[in-house]
Amino acid sequence: MDYTDLRVLTLPPGGREEFATGGLEMLVVPLSGSCVVNDVELTGRDSVFTGLTDFCYLPRDSVATVTSAAGGRFALAGAPARRRLPARYGPAEAIPVELRGAGSCSRQVNNIATAESFECDRLMVVEVLTPAGNWSSYPPHKHDEQSEHESQLEEIYYFEVARGGMGYQRVYASSPDRPIDVFAEVRTGDVIAVPFGWHGPSMAAPGYDLYYLNVMAGPGLERAWRFRDDPAHAWIRDTWTDQSIDPRLPMYGRPS
């Protein structure tokens, strides 16, 4: 992966970790628990299934110290940055919540750092919550402009599954020189990297709500979350027009 980076920092009660960002801009996103990043206090949340979280932005070429009185897990999402933007705090209440799809393709998207919601140089980060039994990241799609076979944006999926359950993810490409076809079971803590190609669906097994953190960046000058559906499955969007959004959504937060 050339343009995306993800680490998950687990701290015990009273834990402390110091690291340098190097050439990466980073977002610190609490998955469970609260922490202090340098002098910025993040209230965090009990888990990814209980509420939105505040977060903070770390610029490239900086040093950060993360401490947690009660312990917790914290995602460090990164991308190589051309500009050095200032460190900033992102409040939970400012995160736009979006409901996408309909019926069994309904899902919730927490737009933590898109081009519209929070300034970064390259980095884009969202959270997706899929109710048990539903499909998201669907129809299968990729994030590019004109390229026929290769995505111009990389993407990382970090998964958590409620109640110790499992979900499933597919990634595939038809390029003869770079074939890929992955269908994988995912559980809490699993990561799937998508350097190119079509990806989706992300499937929540019945009984188990599914969460994933998307980290995306690419080489382009414009920070834009473009996508195009696999032509073989694009028709599925048309079936949503007479369906309602799953009444289990939003799981939390207020849709913007």
Side-chain angles (χ1 to χ4, degrees):
M1 304 293 278
D2 296 319
Y3 298 101
T4 52
D5 187 88
L6 178 66
R7 313 168 200 179
V8 176
L9 175 63
T10 300
L11 292 179
R16 179 181 186 276
E17 183 79 13
E18 182 176 309
F19 59 90
T21 61
L24 302 176
E25 58 179 348
M26 287 185 175
L27 286 188
V28 181
V29 181
L31 300 170
S32 64
S34 60
C35 66
V36 176
V37 183
N38 294 339
D39 58 349
V40 178
E41 184 173 350
L42 300 183
T43 301
R45 54 190 166 183
D46 290 337
S47 84
V48 296
F49 297 104
T50 59
L52 296 165
T53 182
D54 50 357
F55 63 96
C56 73
Y57 175 89
L58 299 173
R60 61 169 297 162
D61 303 317
S62 61
V63 175
T65 301
V66 181
T67 59
S68 179
R73 291 180 302 108
F74 311 96
L76 310 178
R82 297 154 295 195
R83 297 177 295 156
R84 192 175 191 275
L85 301 174
R88 279 161 293 139
Y89 170 77
E93 57 268 22
I95 296 174
V97 174
E98 177 184 1
L99 302 184
R100 293 185 188 170
S104 61
C105 293
S106 302
R107 62 270 201 188
Q108 173 178 337
V109 182
N110 303 331
N111 291 303
I112 293 176
T114 64
E116 297 76 23
S117 66
F118 191 86
E119 184 185 13
C120 299
D121 183 56
R122 272 196 174 111
L123 183 61
M124 293 178 280
V125 176
V126 304
E127 300 178 315
V128 179
L129 293 144
T130 309
N134 284 10
W135 286 21
S136 61
S137 195
Y138 193 69
H141 60 281
K142 60 181 174 178
H143 304 276
D144 65 3
E145 295 175 351
Q146 302 299 326
S147 173
E148 184 63 28
H149 297 302
E150 295 184 20
S151 173
Q152 295 183 359
L153 295 178
E154 295 178 350
E155 188 168 5
I156 295 174
Y157 282 64
Y158 164 82
F159 294 91
E160 297 205 2
V161 188
R163 295 180 290 279
M166 69 289 188
Y168 299 90
Q169 174 72 41
R170 190 177 183 211
V171 181
Y172 63 97
S174 57
S175 173
D177 56 329
R178 299 182 74 183
I180 183 173
D181 195 343
V182 174
F183 180 73
E185 179 180 293
V186 293
R187 293 178 178 268
T188 294
D190 285 342
V191 171
I192 287 184
V194 186
F196 65 94
W198 308 105
H199 44 285
S202 303
M203 291 163 273
Y208 301 109
D209 295 336
L210 179 68
Y211 163 95
Y212 52 90
L213 182 77
N214 278 155
V215 182
M216 181 180 291
L221 295 176
E222 185 180 5
R223 181 172 168 247
W225 200 300
R226 293 188 180 88
F227 73 92
R228 60 187 177 109
D229 294 331
D230 183 335
H233 307 290
W235 64 270
I236 290 165
R237 287 189 188 275
D238 295 335
T239 68
W240 298 345
T241 57
D242 59 351
Q243 297 184 58
S244 300
I245 292 176
D246 192 314
R248 293 174 290 178
L249 295 174
M251 291 187 183
Y252 50 72
R254 179 177 296 177
S256 302

